[in-house]
Structure formats: C-alpha cells, structure tokens
Amino acid sequence: MNGPLGKDLLGLDELTADQIRLILDTAVPFKEVSERQIKKVPTLRGMTIVNLFFEASTRTRVSFEFAEKRLSADTVNVASSGSSVSKGETLVDTARNLEAMRIDMVVIRHPASGAARFLAERIDSNVINAGDGTHEHPTQALLDILTLRDRFGDLAGRRVCIVGDVLHSRVARSNIHGLRKLGAEVAVCGPRSLLPNAVEELGVQVFDRIEAAIEWAEALNILRLQLERMQAGYIPSLREYNRVFGVTSERLDKAPHDLLILHPGPMNRGVEIDSDVADGPHSVILHQVTNGVAVRMAVLYLLAGGRPDLADAAKGGAR
Ligand code: CP
C-alpha cells in the first residue's frame, strides 16, 4: 500500500505544495520525540530499512539513522567501501540482494544524478533520495523549509536567496522547487561560473553582487563550494571568492534588516561564510540539523503508509 506521498521520495520537483505541507506538518509532532529522555516510539516496529551511502555524509546519514531508530525500525548501513560494490557489483544487484532478505525501504545517497529514480523503478521497496549527484536532496530542502517556517510561519511572499555554488548543488535545486511551490520568492547569488545556464528559467531572480542579495533577502541559504565536483577554473581562488561573495558580519551589518542565516553543511568557514556569521545570533544552522531528524521521521512515516491525522497518535504507538 502506498501512502500519501506515493511509493518513493525522489525530489521536491515532483511533489505538490500540499504534499510538501503534509510532510512539514507531520514533522512538527515528531520534533517532541527527540526531546524526550527515551527517544523512541514504536511507530515503524518490524520494518527494515537499508541506508545505502555511496558518497560521504555526516548529517544526512546519521540523521536518517536516528530517525529510523527513534521510530523503532531495524536499520542496516551499507557503504561502497567494504561492500561488494567495491568488487564491481551494480547498484541494482546490490539492492535486489538486499530485497531478497526482505527489506521495506532503501535510503540512498549516490554520486550519480538520477541514481535514486533508477533504483526506485527497479525494486519494490520504498526509495528515499538522500542526495543524488547534482540533481536533488529533498529531505535537506524540507528541513531547510521547516526551519524557515518555524521562524516566518507562512512562506508565501518571503524572500529567500540561495548563495554560492548553485551549479553543483542538489540542495539548491530542491530548495528552489520547494520554496516556489510554497509561494516564496527565491533568488540565487554567485559568480556566473557557478550558476547553471538559464537559471532564471527555474523561476528565480539572479543577483551578481552579494551586497544586493543581502539588501533584498530575508533569509540567506549559503551553499558550500563543492571543491570535489570542480575540475578547475570556476573561481580564481578561495580567497577571492570570500572577498567577493563571502557572507561576512561586515556585509550583514550594512543590511536594512536582520537576515536569517542557513547553511546545509558541511561549511567551509572563511570561504562562503565567516565564523562569526555561522556562530552568530541570526544563524539557525544547528536548528536545521535538529529539524532534519523530525523531517526524516515524517518522511519515513508517510512513505510507510501513515495517515497524517495519526502522526500525533503514532508518537504514542499507533501502527
Ligand atoms: N547537508 C548534507 O547533506 O550534509 P552531509 O553531506 O554531511 O550529509
């Protein structure tokens, strides 16, 4: 049986505004579970979830694992090193062998764009995209949006600027889709070499100067420069990037209003964001991480067929 999100969560591009709101609304009651002394409810007891992480991750992998364990699911982590992927086994063969052991869901992070969909179309288990290449990272955007919603309430008309390496960023793509569906105004800011061609076609404004973006925006979501995905030549140097596009307290002090500061992590301190901004009074970066567990609990619960009106009851043990 498929729940209100369908079989898989592959990206925010394919969700409706109501489905996005449903995930966010379902996450709210799950936040409280992580504040308890005993952080566990029996909601997904008996379910088996495999976390297939074929690319480095700290936040997403640990957050999914906490979400699964707090919902009482049984979990197994598989990384490419140490598994038969390192001997040349294909993604689909790996997943089919895991399915033969009777699993229910797969959470996948993979360096190839489209890997999550490729897998979802070939196995019966629910598939959750935990970041595929430069395509989408839907649960990151959902936790970013939940964090914005915690501060602003309704996001309709709110102005959010995504700053930095948009070209290589699955987080940017998911945020643009999700925020626009909820009625927010979205902009991007960065060197043209780090913006996708025809980025305006995604329905965003473009700022070539960080000062103008800061003047316009109510929130900045600052992206990591993905040095590992850059062959060469995108920026003259990290120092130059910080000088022209870095989010610094000097720049924020000149803004006509306070801005909320988000960063999906991991941060390059002193490059895209200065430490006094990352650790400053307007930063909600660690609040994003806390919200990540609740958002992932909501996604797991809804994909497992959970009825939204039972989310509160689920905390106490329905299912
Ligand atoms: N934000 C994010 O995806 O972080 P990780 O790469 O550590 O999972």
Side-chain angles (χ1 to χ4, degrees), residues 56-60 109 137 140 264-266:
S57 169
T58 299
R59 275 147 294 272
T60 312
R109 168 166 291 194
H137 190 349
Q140 177 66 47

Side-chain angles (χ1 to χ4, degrees), residues 118-130:
F118 182 81
L119 189 64
E121 288 171 351
R122 286 162 179 81
I123 64 173
D124 294 329
S125 306
N126 308 99
V127 173
I128 302 175
N129 182 3

Side-chain angles (χ1 to χ4, degrees), residues 145-164:
I145 293 170
L146 181 62
T147 306
L148 289 164
R149 215 179 67 157
D150 284 347
R151 183 59 61 101
F152 293 136
D154 185 5
L155 294 184
R158 293 293 184 170
R159 300 185 303 278
V160 181
C161 186
I162 300 168
V163 182

Side-chain angles (χ1 to χ4, degrees), residues 181-208:
K181 285 180 189 200
L182 298 187
E185 291 181 40
V186 186
V188 296
C189 174
R192 287 283 166 166
S193 59
L194 289 178
L195 300 181
N197 285 334
V199 66
E200 295 87 347
E201 289 174 13
L202 294 173
V204 298
Q205 279 194 60
V206 179
F207 289 104
D208 292 311

Side-chain angles (χ1 to χ4, degrees), residues 12 17 20-21 24 141-160 174-186 216 218-219 221 260 262:
L12 296 196
I20 293 172
R21 282 191 203 97
L24 301 175
L142 288 163
L143 73 88
D144 294 344
I145 293 170
L146 181 62
T147 306
L148 289 164
R149 215 179 67 157
D150 284 347
R151 183 59 61 101
F152 293 136
D154 185 5
L155 294 184
R158 293 293 184 170
R159 300 185 303 278
V160 181
S174 291
N175 263 278
I176 290 169
H177 294 311
L179 286 166
R180 291 196 64 243
K181 285 180 189 200
L182 298 187
E185 291 181 40
V186 186
W216 175 85
E218 295 170 275
N221 197 346
L260 211 58
L262 296 91

